[in-house]
Amino acid sequence: MSTENEGTEVPADPSAPSVPPAPPTPPAPTAPPTAPPADLPRSDQPTQVQPQVHDQAQPDAQAQSPAHAQAQAPAAGAHAPAAPAAAGAGGWPPPPPAVPAWGASVPPVPEPSAPRKRTGGLVAAVLVAALVAGGVGGGIGYWAAERGDDGISSTTVSAGDSPASFKRDPGTVAAVANKALPSVVTIQAKSGGSGGGGDSEGEGGTGTGFVYDKEGHIVTNNHVVASAAEGGTLSATFSNGKTYDAEVVGRAEGYDVAVLKLKKAPDGLAPLPLGDSDKVAVGDSTIAIGAPFGLSNTVTTGIISAKNRPVASGDGSGGNNSYMSALQTDASINPGNSGGPLLDASGAVIGINSAIQSTGNGFGQSQAGSIGLGFAIPVNQARNVAEQLIKTGKPVYPVIGATVNMTDKGEGATIAQEGAGGTPAITPNGPAAKAGLKPGDVITALGDRQIDSGPTLISEIWTHKSGDTIKLTYERDGKPTTTTVTLGERTGDN
């Protein structure tokens, strides 16, 4: 039973009879094309319906065309004699009586009802949209109320009162963000001195960090604070607007991780919980918090798009690049998000947002925007680096003791013929030398990870710790060979 048009009168012509005529054998007139009533909105005419509601209701509204409403009204036993009124108004011959559906009984002709107040087609269109948008319950309630005088016992369905308070369940984005935001800071870094003003202060930048412990340590990216690390100024602003001066505890350029410490840390700091990035799965939900383009306390969401992405902060050929075996996410990350936390659905940190892929071609574009390819340092690696920096102020890197070609891609990591400045490519008595590697060997796998280039090899090595023993696969003269290598270490960035 169709209920969408109930309660909407079709304007009656005073000259038309109130009861449809029922001639014994009515002729079958050839009706001219029926034009839509002038007061009903067409799809190409503006109406008062809100665009989004109209769009959502469009499939149902189309099903309720004037022809459909006239055809359904007699079968449904509607009160308004829509077809005769339309015929009288247009001066056309009266249409034949409506034929009931196959097997259905002929409904009795209702008694003439008192004329109702005239309503326009625009009101009808708005009402139908509201019913469709409001759900089936509202439409059924209205239908039952209209037929209360026909012996049907019912109660009109009405909207309930709004709840006095709305509680967001744990695990929702809003709940996770609300809990995490007080522990995320916006970092302002300025190069130069802090006392002279004017020319004594250089250029600055904005980044993000998060509270690591109750002593006031803040974890962020190295590239966020690098400009202020030598004689510059640093400050951290919390979501409540309070700002504190900070200083660098240690930086790891290769890992792109840095640790700051608030000079006068407030009481009651709440460190963000750290998750396990090794257990992250592709498709897991992610939440990124940061200050993109200086807009502090911005929350974006997405998923883990991929794992173990080898990413270099530059073109991979320089000596000061950063490398990571990154978590890839489609959560919106932009300049200013760097150093901020990437959270899982429970609110635990699984990565540090560090880099984005961009389509920018460099023609006058100093800052590129997000295209849904963001990369974060896995928190397991970042945790190890942060602990090293807090304890010693210097990073420790695992190494294999071999110089590899950083430009070739696709065939593995090729050990160079010689190192920088003419030094040996294989460190004497180093890990690679002890494993039997030689210049020209092509490393194709480290553990269970395939290696396609020098940057990929470094990114994968740095996910381990010095002293770890790992299976290594390489090719020599086209013949694959497997060996084991025990990683050595290098302290500091120089």
Side-chain angles (χ1 to χ4, degrees), residues 7-12 114-120:
T8 304
E9 289 286 352
V10 177
R116 299 182 184 178
K117 185 177 180 181
R118 182 184 181 96
T119 56

Side-chain angles (χ1 to χ4, degrees), residues 356-451:
I356 61 173
Q357 181 67 43
S358 174
T359 58
N361 54 21
F363 292 102
Q365 296 182 358
S366 59
Q367 290 185 323
S370 173
I371 59 171
L373 294 174
F375 304 98
I377 302 167
V379 73
N380 289 5
Q381 176 180 342
R383 180 196 290 113
N384 295 335
V385 178
E387 291 295 336
Q388 294 169 0
L389 296 177
I390 291 174
K391 291 179 180 178
T392 67
K394 295 182 179 181
V396 177
Y397 299 94
V399 297
I400 63 169
T403 300
V404 296
N405 191 318
M406 300 298 287
T407 57
D408 295 342
K409 295 182 180 180
E411 300 296 333
T414 303
I415 299 178
Q417 294 299 320
E418 63 179 23
T423 60
I426 302 290
T427 303
N429 204 35
K434 292 179 179 179
L437 296 174
K438 296 180 179 180
D441 289 346
V442 180
I443 300 174
T444 57
L446 189 71
D448 59 356
R449 298 278 187 263
Q450 296 297 310
I451 304 300

Side-chain angles (χ1 to χ4, degrees), residues 79-451:
H79 291 290
W92 297 336
V99 178
W102 185 84
S105 60
V106 179
V109 179
E111 293 295 330
S113 58
R116 299 182 184 178
K117 185 177 180 181
R118 182 184 181 96
T119 56
L122 180 59
V123 177
V126 174
L127 177 61
V128 169
L131 289 175
V132 173
V136 177
I140 294 176
Y142 187 88
W143 176 84
E146 278 292 287
R147 283 153 180 75
D149 57 352
D150 291 339
I152 300 176
S153 176
S154 63
T155 303
T156 302
V157 177
S158 61
D161 294 334
S162 299
S165 61
F166 179 76
K167 182 180 180 181
R168 291 174 175 84
D169 295 330
T172 62
V173 174
V176 171
N178 184 64
K179 185 176 181 180
L181 277 168
S183 299
V184 179
V185 298
T186 300
I187 297 172
Q188 294 286 345
K190 289 186 178 181
S191 62
S194 59
D199 294 337
S200 64
E201 293 190 7
E203 296 182 353
T206 301
T208 309
F210 62 91
V211 176
Y212 183 76
D213 57 29
K214 294 184 178 181
E215 285 69 40
H217 289 108
I218 305 294
V219 173
T220 186
N221 283 146
N222 171 69
H223 73 260
V224 170
V225 302
S227 63
E230 303 294 336
T233 60
L234 290 166
S235 64
T237 302
F238 285 79
S239 60
N240 61 6
K242 294 184 178 180
T243 301
Y244 300 86
D245 292 335
E247 58 187 356
V248 176
V249 171
R251 300 189 294 132
E253 191 175 72
Y255 293 121
D256 197 17
V257 174
V259 175
L260 311 181
K261 192 172 189 302
L262 303 179
K263 293 182 178 180
K264 294 182 179 180
D267 295 331
L269 288 176
L272 288 181
L274 305 182
D276 186 350
S277 52
D278 289 340
K279 295 182 179 179
V280 170
V282 173
D284 283 349
S285 297
T286 58
I287 301 172
I289 303 180
F293 297 103
L295 300 173
S296 301
N297 310 315
T298 295
V299 178
T300 57
T301 63
I303 62 169
I304 293 293
S305 305
K307 297 176 60 177
N308 306 308
R309 286 290 196 213
V311 175
S313 62
D315 59 7
S317 61
N320 297 323
N321 289 317
S322 301
Y323 302 94
M324 69 184 96
S325 182
L327 298 175
Q328 179 182 324
T329 181
D330 65 347
S332 182
I333 297 174
N334 287 287
N337 277 104
S338 292
L342 184 68
L343 309 174
D344 62 15
S346 71
V349 180
I350 55 175
I352 301 176
N353 301 319
S354 182
I356 61 173
Q357 181 67 43
S358 174
T359 58
N361 54 21
F363 292 102
Q365 296 182 358
S366 59
Q367 290 185 323
S370 173
I371 59 171
L373 294 174
F375 304 98
I377 302 167
V379 73
N380 289 5
Q381 176 180 342
R383 180 196 290 113
N384 295 335
V385 178
E387 291 295 336
Q388 294 169 0
L389 296 177
I390 291 174
K391 291 179 180 178
T392 67
K394 295 182 179 181
V396 177
Y397 299 94
V399 297
I400 63 169
T403 300
V404 296
N405 191 318
M406 300 298 287
T407 57
D408 295 342
K409 295 182 180 180
E411 300 296 333
T414 303
I415 299 178
Q417 294 299 320
E418 63 179 23
T423 60
I426 302 290
T427 303
N429 204 35
K434 292 179 179 179
L437 296 174
K438 296 180 179 180
D441 289 346
V442 180
I443 300 174
T444 57
L446 189 71
D448 59 356
R449 298 278 187 263
Q450 296 297 310
I451 304 300

